[in-house]
Amino acid sequence: MKAHLVLRKGSFALKARADWPDTGMTVIAGPSGAGKSSLLRAIAGLERAQGEAEIAGHVVQGEGVFVPAHRRRIAWISQHDDVFAPLSVRANLAFAQRHGAPGGPAVEEIAARFGLAGRMAQTAGTLSGGQKQRLILARALLSNPRLLALDEPFLALDLEARHRMLALLQEMCTVRKLPVLFVSHDFDTLTQLADFMLYMQGGAVVAQGPLNTLLLDERLPFAARADACVVLTATAMGHGKADMLNRLEVAGVCLLVPGRAMPRGRQVRLRLRASDVSLSRQDVASSIVNAVPVTVRKLLCGDMPGAPGPGLVHVVLDLHGAPLLARITSHSASAMKLAAGDRVHALIKASALGNGKA
Amino acid sequence: MKMAEVLTPLWLSLKLASVTTLILLLACVPLGWALARWRSPWRVFAEAILTLPLVLPPTVLGFYLLLLLGPKGPLAPLHLVFSFWGLVAGSVVFSLPFVLRPVQGAFEAIPQSLLDSAASLGAGPWARFAALAIPLARRGMASAAVLGFAHTLGEFGVVLMIGGDIAGRTRVASIAVFDAVERLDFATAHLMSAILVGTAFLILLFFSWLNRPGAQS
């Protein structure tokens, strides 16, 4: 999908050029006031921006063309609880189905999936915060959109409820092959969901690329974070009855991860925090179960951009083509005489791996 | 005291208030929606003009309406002066701000993000107005109807200027009370005034109930 949009609103100017995949989850990240929400609204046709945009193979604006928001088939979800409060849950859902594109899912099926089946007659305004969010997401899916556009999804919910909603969102959109574009400044949300990132600053998209590329880009604020991480996709290979560990295959190596048995062949997202990865010259047996051979790509230390702070080093690693980030002390780095190109062992704390959601 | 002298003006007042309220609602719902959505510097002028009847003395309003509708006025062919429909025309102008303001306010209270959500679900401008804004603003519209009705019941100056005081045709309750007092028929004046006070109280009670704190919007 492509967007090249220009919008002036008072003293703020959006001048963004973005290009992102037709599938999967794309996050618009960046500091407050960077124009993330404005770009999302402009793409949805809710702001009358100048320029071109092509969404899911359809030109929604361009030379002499401006498709209005209600014909773009981009379901936009704001930061607010935008339920139609005086209407019933059923009427809220029916509204989306009636006005949305034909060929969408059935109301009953979606209501059941979102845990709303027992509340169809209830007035939407009397739902709890979490139920309202479920209703809004269900409503968006019922309109049968080509793109789901979310502004800071589920930020009002507590952490646990938010994780559940994000998992539900991910599952529903994967099943329906619905691409998602979402705005988030919440690191936890974006690492849980995103496959691709558009990074904005001062009304412009200053970096765009696959999630890990931008998470490790030292010009951006992610690599230097205390909770810096990379996100890898793993495939479940089986579950050990004796040790209760899942065997997950990532980039040709096998990682052991505790937790409930995952069905063989299932794709899992693993969020590997730099602080859960350490390095060793030898292949050691320790309480850290996973030791995998890696190549050192880069050391981020001292005053360098992307460096984690005094006394610490972020080491960018390559695991058979997949990136990995380790956080070690400068003391260890110099004791090990680490340099780019070195072959070492990355020790990954297995308990850290359970976080990623499928 | 003849009962007809009491009941006929009361009935006429009720009829006038009902017809006026109905016409005003039909006019103010689209007008209030348009004003609430209108982004233009001209909006303040339009709002000021439409609010004038709120502050002008009813006699001034009646005077202009008389010039407009009277035998030499541009709307003379409609023969509205001294007729029931003349009263309706005057009342519509007189009570317009009392209906328009709450309706427009109710539309303005609908968050923009809600209407944008509806648009992104595929609802066009008409669907957003008819299927969403109207149900969302229904309490505001009910308040507006009650206020417009009550205000029309109580009007005096405009009605007297345009309608005169013709028994059975334009003599509404407020004028009948004035007549009764003038001819020192205090019994009739008492009865009609008491009925008007009671009616007004009940209407305002209903209005307050509609706007009670904690009521769902």
Side-chain angles (χ1 to χ4, degrees):
Chain A
M1 301 189 226
K2 283 196 282 275
H4 181 203
L5 296 168
V6 178
L7 175 69
R8 280 196 175 282
K9 261 169 88 183
S11 62
F12 172 78
L14 177 77
K15 219 176 162 186
R17 191 186 282 274
D19 205 324
W20 70 99
D22 274 349
T23 56
M25 307 258 175
T26 300
V27 64
I28 306 177
S32 315
K36 307 185 291 292
S37 297
S38 295
L39 176 60
L40 194 74
R41 286 178 57 82
I43 287 169
L46 299 168
E47 302 283 351
R48 213 163 169 108
Q50 306 288 316
E52 299 99 53
E54 190 189 312
I55 300 301
H58 297 261
V59 174
V60 292
Q61 67 182 89
E63 199 75 35
V65 184
F66 187 91
V67 179
H70 65 277
R71 297 219 184 86
R72 289 198 178 190
R73 293 183 60 190
I74 299 175
W76 172 80
I77 296 181
S78 81
Q79 300 175 36
H80 312 287
D81 279 343
D82 285 325
V83 295
F84 307 145
L87 308 185
S88 68
V89 169
R90 185 187 300 282
N92 268 267
L93 297 174
F95 183 93
Q97 199 182 43
R98 188 165 68 246
H99 298 290
V107 169
E108 305 303 327
E109 174 202 332
I110 288 289
R113 190 61 198 79
F114 281 80
L116 295 166
R119 303 191 175 272
M120 296 297 264
Q122 193 174 333
T123 306
T126 63
L127 294 173
S128 73
Q131 290 162 348
K132 281 181 184 164
Q133 295 290 331
R134 291 211 298 273
L135 174 58
I136 290 168
L137 186 55
R139 211 173 55 182
L141 293 179
L142 278 169
S143 75
N144 194 20
R146 290 193 187 111
L147 174 69
L148 194 56
L150 301 105
D151 197 347
E152 299 283 7
F154 323 128
L155 207 63
L157 300 180
D158 64 67
L159 200 64
E160 203 180 319
R162 194 190 314 158
H163 277 178
R164 275 202 306 274
M165 279 304 293
L166 292 174
L168 184 59
L169 168 71
Q170 195 156 39
E171 185 199 320
M172 295 307 286
C173 294
T174 308
V175 168
R176 308 197 62 80
K177 297 193 170 53
L178 176 62
V180 176
L181 180 64
F182 70 102
V183 166
S184 184
H185 69 252
D186 179 51
F187 190 65
D188 186 60
T189 301
L190 79 86
T191 51
Q192 189 179 337
L193 275 189
D195 306 312
F196 196 89
M197 192 195 297
L198 308 172
Y199 189 82
M200 292 189 73
Q201 217 160 19
V205 176
V206 295
Q208 53 189 3
L211 180 67
N212 285 331
T213 309
L214 267 64
L215 287 180
L216 296 176
D217 187 331
E218 60 262 32
R219 294 168 306 156
L220 303 182
F222 305 113
R225 289 177 66 100
D227 55 353
C229 66
V230 294
V231 178
L232 300 181
T233 304
T235 311
M237 303 301 286
H239 188 256
K241 279 236 157 33
D243 56 16
M244 298 303 283
L245 295 174
N246 283 298
R247 271 74 178 154
L248 299 181
E249 192 260 292
V250 184
V253 301
C254 179
L255 297 182
L256 300 175
V257 182
R260 270 189 305 176
M262 295 175 191
R264 187 183 262 278
R266 187 194 212 169
Q267 300 271 305
V268 194
R269 278 169 75 94
L270 293 180
R271 184 161 45 190
L272 300 177
R273 292 209 166 81
S275 53
D276 291 325
V277 180
S278 46
L279 300 175
S280 161
R281 284 277 177 201
Q282 291 95 39
D283 188 358
V284 288
S286 72
S287 66
I288 297 169
V289 192
N290 300 295
V292 294
V294 291
T295 311
V296 175
R297 281 269 172 263
K298 206 164 13 176
L299 285 95
L300 305 170
C301 55
D303 295 334
M304 287 168 68
L312 291 168
V313 180
H314 272 171
V315 187
V316 182
L317 307 160
D318 179 294
L319 170 66
H320 304 144
L324 210 56
L325 192 65
R327 181 189 187 81
I328 60 173
T329 60
S330 334
H331 175 79
S332 313
S334 48
M336 287 171 74
K337 298 193 176 65
L338 270 187
D342 286 1
R343 309 251 334 139
V344 292
H345 290 272
L347 310 176
I348 305 166
K349 247 190 183 157
S351 61
L353 301 177
N355 296 341
K357 287 260 159 60
Chain B
M1 179 173 68
K2 285 191 218 120
M3 252 359 243
E5 262 178 47
V6 176
L7 291 181
T8 309
L10 278 173
W11 169 240
L12 196 60
S13 276
L14 285 180
K15 201 167 88 173
L16 176 64
S18 307
V19 172
T20 302
T21 306
L22 190 69
I23 291 173
L24 275 174
L25 271 185
L26 290 177
C28 290
V29 168
L31 186 61
W33 174 247
L35 279 175
R37 303 282 120 210
W38 194 23
R39 300 280 167 264
S40 156
W42 293 104
R43 176 177 150 159
V44 289
F45 286 95
E47 280 178 353
I49 288 170
L50 292 168
T51 313
L52 270 181
L54 194 70
V55 290
L56 283 180
T59 44
V60 171
L61 216 58
F63 173 63
Y64 281 126
L65 281 166
L66 197 58
L67 289 185
L68 201 66
L69 304 174
K72 294 203 175 94
L75 298 180
L78 297 176
H79 300 295
L80 287 175
V81 175
F82 305 128
S83 77
F84 175 73
W85 289 103
L87 292 190
V88 171
S91 305
V92 163
V93 174
F94 185 55
S95 297
L96 175 78
F98 287 84
V99 177
L100 181 60
R101 285 271 152 161
V103 167
Q104 188 184 337
F107 283 139
E108 279 167 357
I110 301 173
Q112 185 60 41
S113 70
L114 201 71
L115 296 167
D116 285 346
S117 295
S120 84
L121 292 174
W126 171 252
R128 299 203 290 277
F129 170 62
L132 197 59
I134 288 184
L136 287 172
R138 60 189 172 185
R139 291 175 58 81
M141 290 191 283
S143 292
V146 170
L147 273 185
F149 188 88
H151 189 245
T152 307
L153 266 192
E155 79 178 272
F156 180 81
V158 179
V159 168
L160 196 61
M161 293 289 274
I162 307 180
D165 181 8
I166 306 167
R169 254 180 52 207
T170 61
R171 183 181 293 163
V172 295
S174 57
I175 292 173
V177 172
F178 180 72
D179 278 350
V181 173
E182 271 213 314
R183 58 173 194 270
L184 302 178
D185 179 1
F186 279 25
T188 305
H190 263 306
L191 181 59
M192 294 191 71
S193 299
I195 293 173
L196 282 178
V197 168
T199 313
F201 175 73
L202 286 179
I203 290 172
L204 291 177
L205 202 64
F206 179 55
F207 177 78
S208 295
W209 178 80
L210 276 178
N211 292 291
R212 69 196 180 280
Q216 261 187 58
S217 61

